[in-house]
Amino acid sequence: MRKFFKKMLTAAVTAACFFMPVSSQVEAAVERNPVTVTNARWYPAYHIAPYAGWANDPNGFCTYKGDYHFFYQHYPYATHWGPMHWGHVVSKDLVHWQNLPVALEPDHIYDASGGCFSGSGIEKDGKLYLIYTGHVDLPVISKDYADRIESQNVAVSDDGVHFEKIAENPVIYAPKVEGVSQSDFRDPKVWQHNGKYYAIVGSRTPTVDPAGNEAKGQIVLFESDDLINWNYKNIIARAEGNQGFMWECPNFANIDGQDVLIFSPQGVKPEGNKYLNWHQSVYMLGNLNYNTGTFTHGNFDILDYGFDFYAPQITQALDGRTILIGWLDMWAGKFPEDTDGWACQMTVPRELHVKGGKLLTTPIEELKSLRISETSYQNLTLTKKSSLKNISGATGELIATIDAKNSFDIELRSGGSEKTVLSYNAKNNIFKINRAKSGVFVESNNIAGNKTVEREVKLNPASEIKLQIFLDRSSIEIFINDGEAVMSTRVYPKETSTGINFVPRSGSMTIRNISFYTLGEGIPQPNIK
Ligand code: FRU
C-alpha cells in the first residue's frame, strides 16, 4: 500500500513538474499577448482552437514519446493572419488537449519577414523534429523577379515543448530543375519508409510560361538519411486541366495497402455544384515507386463536401490508424468570431480508410469519451415537422438511421428565424447543407465570383441513410453512411438557437434509430474576466 502511494505521489509530482512550468509559460505568453477571448459564444467545447488570436493550417501533427502533438499556423497578436508562429497542443487520446507555449516564432533570416509557414513533425532518436517553410517576402522591384523565397527548415526539441532551429537551415531549397517555381515551394510533409526519410513539398510550375499557359500545381519529392541533408528525387504529380495553379499542404500515407496523396489545390474552377469553395482539399490514390520517385495515380477527388475544410494533415496513430485533422475554415471568407478575441478552429480527428477505390472518412472512436448522457428513440414515423424530447443542443453528437425512400430535412441550431438546413432528396440521392439562415451570415466566395449558401453531395442509392453529426458552438460536421461523405461547415447562430427539427418532405419520414449525446469539453475553455 505504502509503495502504491509512493508511486502515485511520484507520478503526481512528475506530472506537476511537466505541466506546471509549461502552463505558467502559456499564461505568461497569454499575458504578453494583447489578444484574449472576450466572448465564448462561438468558442468550441472540443475542437482544437487557438487559446486566443488567429489559427489556420494544422501543422506538425505527430506522435512523440507516446503523446499526440498538434501544431497550427498561429498569429498570437491579432485575430487575423499575420507573420506565422506555430501554436501547440498535446494530448494522450486525440480528444482532450492541453495548450503548450508557442513552438516556433519568426526570428531567423529565413523566416523572420513572412513567418514559419506550414510543415510537419516526426520523432527521431528521442527528439521531435519539425520541418517547416521559412517564408521571406522580398521587395518587388520588377515583375520579372520573385516577390518571395520559400525554403524548408528544421527545428528540434528534446522535451516536446522547446524547439531550437538548427544551424544547417535552410535544409531544402526549391530544386533548380526545369518547371519548378523558386518562390511557391512550401508545406513539407515528412515520413519514414524502409529506413529513409521522404519529404513532399507543395509547388507549382513557374508563372505563366512563354506560351501564356497558367502555372500548374505540383508536388516535389525529396529523400534523406538524417532529416537534414536532402536530395531532390522527382516531381511526383502535376495538375492537368482544371486542377489548379498551386498545390499546397501535401500529405502522404499508405492506407489499407494503398498509397494516398492528399493536398490542397488553389485555383480549381467550379464545375457545376462541385469545387464551390475558394480552395479545395483533395486526395489521389496511387502507387509510389520509392526507387524512381514516380507516383502512378488516378484522378483527384474531393475530401470533404462542406463549406469549411482546408489544408488537412494526417498522422499515424500509436496503433497504426491514419488520422486526419483539417482546418475547419476557408480562405476569402469572414470569421465573425474575430471580434471575440480568437479566429478559426480545426475539425474533429477523423480516421481514413480506402475501400472500393474511395477514401472513407469517419470520426475517431476516441470521441466517444466526450459523451455524457444519451437519449435514444427507435422506429419513429413522422408525418409533420417534429422535434424530439432531449434531442437538441448547441453542442452534441447526433446519430440517426433514416429511411431513404422519402425526402426529408433536418434543421439544426434552430431558434427564432435561425436554422441550418440539411436536406435529402430521395429522387436523386442528393444531400445538401444550407446555411442561408444559420445566424450571422458568412459569405462563401469562389474564384468564379459566385456567392453560394448551399453545398451538396450525391450519395450512392441505398435503402437508408446513416448520419453522424457533431455540433459544437460554431461548427457542424456531418459524416454520412459510415465514411461515404463528410461535410464540414462553420455557423454563427445565437447561443439560444439549439433546436433540432425533423421535417418530412414527401409523405412521412421514418427514423429507424436515433441517439443524441450531450458532450463534454476536450479543450481548455477561455477564462473570461
Ligand atoms: C495554406 C497556406 C500554406 C502556408 C500557410 C501560411 O492555407 O497558404 O500553404 O504554409 O497557409 O499560413
Side-chain angles (χ1 to χ4, degrees):
M1 209 50 178
R2 199 177 261 179
K3 246 189 179 165
F4 173 76
F5 278 117
K6 210 173 153 199
K7 231 174 151 185
M8 290 298 285
L9 190 68
T10 321
V13 170
T14 319
C17 290
F18 177 71
F19 278 112
M20 253 181 54
V22 167
S23 58
S24 55
Q25 283 176 55
V26 173
E27 274 159 27
V30 169
E31 248 150 53
R32 227 183 340 133
N33 185 345
V35 184
T36 50
V37 177
T38 50
N39 187 336
R41 56 189 162 164
W42 293 316
Y43 196 83
Y46 57 91
H47 288 81
I48 297 171
Y51 55 88
W54 166 270
N56 57 282
D57 311 0
N59 287 164
F61 188 20
C62 67
T63 54
Y64 175 61
K65 294 188 177 163
D67 289 334
Y68 291 99
H69 285 257
F70 181 91
F71 305 79
Y72 51 87
Q73 289 282 278
H74 181 38
Y75 187 55
Y77 304 110
T79 55
H80 53 72
W81 193 95
M84 284 287 110
H85 298 53
W86 278 34
H88 187 186
V89 290
V90 65
S91 172
K92 295 244 170 265
D93 63 359
L94 288 163
V95 177
H96 298 89
W97 298 91
Q98 296 290 323
N99 283 320
L100 290 179
V102 165
L104 299 178
E105 294 186 54
D107 52 7
H108 281 60
I109 188 161
Y110 46 79
D111 61 23
S113 82
C116 304
F117 275 23
S118 287
S120 51
I122 193 166
E123 180 169 4
K124 174 179 180 279
D125 304 331
K127 296 186 173 158
L128 176 48
Y129 282 70
L130 303 180
I131 176 161
Y132 71 97
T133 300
H135 179 102
V136 175
D137 286 313
L138 301 172
V140 183
I141 43 172
S142 153
K143 68 172 178 33
D144 296 333
Y145 290 90
D147 59 355
R148 70 192 88 155
I149 299 176
E150 293 187 322
S151 63
Q152 316 317 320
N153 300 280
V154 168
V156 185
S157 169
D158 50 22
D159 63 0
V161 178
H162 306 94
F163 291 84
E164 289 282 336
K165 295 176 186 172
I166 63 169
E168 294 87 337
N169 282 339
V171 295
I172 306 179
Y173 287 103
K176 291 217 161 36
V177 296
E178 205 183 323
V180 178
S181 153
Q182 298 293 305
S183 51
D184 282 285
F185 179 65
R186 56 181 175 268
D187 312 333
K189 163 69 185 180
V190 68
W191 74 97
Q192 203 179 8
H193 177 81
N194 282 348
K196 279 193 186 289
Y197 295 97
Y198 292 87
I200 43 176
V201 182
S203 152
R204 60 168 173 82
T205 54
T207 329
V208 189
D209 66 21
N213 297 314
E214 198 184 43
K216 292 179 172 52
Q218 62 193 6
I219 305 297
V220 190
L221 176 70
F222 297 82
E223 188 182 66
S224 171
D225 289 323
D226 57 7
L227 293 174
I228 292 167
N229 298 289
W230 291 91
N231 292 317
Y232 165 71
K233 272 298 268 191
N234 201 7
I235 295 165
I236 62 165
R238 180 177 277 175
E240 284 166 26
N242 181 31
Q243 290 190 329
F245 57 75
M246 169 67 196
W247 288 2
E248 304 186 306
C249 305
N251 274 247
F252 184 86
N254 186 278
I255 307 175
D256 299 326
Q258 173 81 62
D259 289 338
V260 183
L261 178 66
I262 289 175
F263 54 96
S264 296
Q266 299 183 311
V268 178
K269 297 178 190 79
E271 292 176 8
N273 287 337
K274 225 177 161 185
Y275 308 133
L276 289 184
N277 293 337
W278 187 258
H279 297 322
Q280 321 303 318
S281 291
V282 299
Y283 70 93
M284 270 178 176
L285 304 184
N287 179 36
L288 178 63
N289 180 325
Y290 282 86
N291 294 325
T292 57
T294 47
F295 182 61
T296 46
H297 60 83
N299 242 326
F300 70 42
D301 212 345
I302 289 183
L303 245 173
D304 184 302
Y305 290 84
F307 289 88
D308 297 295
F309 181 83
Y310 197 62
Q313 274 222 344
I314 53 177
T315 196
Q316 253 47 59
L318 294 163
D319 62 6
R321 287 169 301 159
T322 304
I323 310 292
L324 173 147
I325 297 182
W327 186 42
L328 214 173
D329 276 290
M330 182 49 64
W331 292 115
K334 286 197 185 111
F335 309 94
E337 72 270 28
D338 61 8
T339 56
D340 296 345
W342 68 286
C344 305
Q345 65 171 66
M346 307 298 151
T347 67
V348 292
R350 301 160 178 196
E351 182 173 341
L352 299 181
H353 284 285
V354 175
K355 208 171 153 193
K358 292 263 168 215
L359 194 64
L360 305 188
T361 309
T362 49
I364 57 165
E365 281 291 306
E366 288 92 328
L367 287 163
K368 287 184 178 159
S369 68
L370 289 170
R371 292 178 183 173
I372 297 173
S373 67
E374 176 182 354
T375 303
S376 296
Y377 299 92
Q378 275 83 40
N379 299 322
L380 302 174
T381 298
L382 310 174
T383 51
K384 60 176 183 3
K385 175 168 164 175
S386 315
S387 56
L388 302 170
K389 190 162 180 253
N390 290 335
I391 296 202
S392 65
T395 70
E397 181 186 352
L398 180 76
I399 301 185
T401 306
I402 303 169
D403 206 295
K405 258 204 327 269
N406 291 340
S407 302
F408 61 85
D409 290 355
I410 300 176
E411 299 171 355
L412 302 170
R413 300 301 307 266
S414 142
S417 58
E418 291 181 352
K419 57 184 175 182
T420 299
V421 185
L422 315 185
S423 52
Y424 175 70
N425 182 335
K427 290 209 182 86
N428 55 15
N429 310 311
I430 288 182
F431 188 92
K432 291 188 182 176
I433 179 165
N434 183 309
R435 67 171 176 186
K437 296 188 174 158
S438 293
V440 173
F441 185 66
V442 274
E443 276 179 359
S444 166
N445 303 301
N446 59 50
I447 57 167
N450 306 321
K451 298 191 193 307
T452 49
V453 293
E454 229 165 45
R455 289 291 177 274
E456 65 175 51
V457 56
K458 190 167 172 59
L459 302 175
N460 295 323
S463 60
E464 56 188 32
I465 173 165
K466 215 176 148 193
L467 301 173
Q468 185 172 6
I469 300 173
F470 286 85
L471 296 166
D472 205 340
R473 296 188 189 108
S474 55
S475 67
I476 298 176
E477 287 162 281
I478 307 156
F479 295 86
I480 307 171
N481 294 339
D482 297 317
E484 182 183 347
V486 53
M487 304 176 104
S488 306
T489 293
R490 296 294 305 274
V491 290
Y492 298 93
K494 293 196 181 78
E495 283 162 287
T496 47
S497 296
T498 57
I500 300 182
N501 303 315
F502 301 89
V503 190
R505 283 285 170 216
S506 49
S508 60
M509 172 177 184
T510 302
I511 301 177
R512 297 190 182 167
N513 297 292
I514 186 162
S515 299
F516 184 82
Y517 299 90
T518 58
L519 298 180
E521 287 161 359
I523 64 160
Q525 296 298 294
N527 179 10
I528 296 171
K529 292 185 183 116

